[in-house]
Amino acid sequence: MNRRRVVTINDGKPGERSVSMACMHCTDAPCASVCPVNCIFSTDDGVVLHSKDLCIGCGYCFYACPFGAPQYPKLSNFGSRGKMDKCTYCAGGGGSEVPGSGQEYEKYGANRMLQGKLPLCAEMCSTKSLLAGDGEIIAQIYKERVVQRGYGSGAWGWMTAYREDITV
């Protein structure tokens, strides 16, 4: 599984940007809205999870997600690729397994959130460009970085991604 990939825009040209593409755990997740069996849902913490027990592998979520987050874990013909898989924000799974159990780990990976840890991608990011936690705090950190680097409020995508009432 490749749950995160980096896309480079204008590669080798002035204004080149690299964007990390992964599940953004959307507030109104398009993948969840198109799922015919309602196996994709948001938790109280805002993490978008899916149940592999309910998933039928139709692929609608893959086509609806603008980030390409849901993926087939197997490479084969349509219908035999199995059930979808996606980033769990290291919060375990959406199935009936006991949180933190070996069954949950085998099916969905580590439940780092249950252990009070950050998702592995944020913890291991060498440039600290991937952050996890409270949205207001993260927005403040990113805004401080933008101001410090001299881009001000005209930074690429700033007005779209963050509200202006966050003070530095």
Side-chain angles (χ1 to χ4, degrees), residues 89-126:
Y89 201 70
C90 292
S96 58
E97 297 79 19
V98 175
S101 69
Q103 292 173 325
E104 181 190 51
Y105 178 82
E106 188 175 316
K107 195 181 278 187
Y108 298 102
N111 190 339
R112 295 174 58 84
M113 189 175 279
L114 183 67
Q115 301 167 2
K117 297 179 180 178
L118 291 173
L120 196 57
C121 60
E123 189 170 305
M124 299 302 292
C125 183
S126 61

Side-chain angles (χ1 to χ4, degrees), residues 7-112:
V7 176
T8 303
I9 302 167
N10 294 327
D11 192 15
K13 298 175 185 169
E16 175 183 310
R17 303 276 187 209
S18 293
V19 181
S20 176
M21 299 293 280
C23 182
M24 298 297 177
H25 298 279
C26 306
T27 303
D28 187 16
C31 59
S33 65
V34 300
C35 180
V37 293
N38 297 319
C39 73
I40 301 175
F41 60 95
S42 293
T43 66
D44 292 339
D45 295 326
V47 178
V48 177
L49 295 177
H50 73 296
S51 170
K52 290 185 183 181
D53 297 331
L54 296 175
C55 180
I56 59 174
C58 66
Y60 289 172
C61 56
F62 171 79
Y63 292 108
C65 177
F67 307 105
Q71 299 173 24
Y72 285 107
K74 299 178 184 175
L75 295 174
S76 61
N77 295 330
F78 184 80
S80 61
R81 292 182 277 193
K83 299 177 181 211
M84 299 304 287
D85 197 4
K86 66 173 282 305
C87 167
T88 63
Y89 201 70
C90 292
S96 58
E97 297 79 19
V98 175
S101 69
Q103 292 173 325
E104 181 190 51
Y105 178 82
E106 188 175 316
K107 195 181 278 187
Y108 298 102
N111 190 339
R112 295 174 58 84

Side-chain angles (χ1 to χ4, degrees), residues 127-131 138-152 158 168:
T127 62
K128 299 298 178 207
S129 58
L130 297 176
L131 299 177
I138 292 172
Q140 179 64 32
I141 292 169
Y142 280 138
K143 186 165 186 177
E144 288 171 5
R145 289 179 182 179
V146 167
V147 170
Q148 183 181 15
R149 294 175 184 161
Y151 297 118
W158 179 262
V168 180

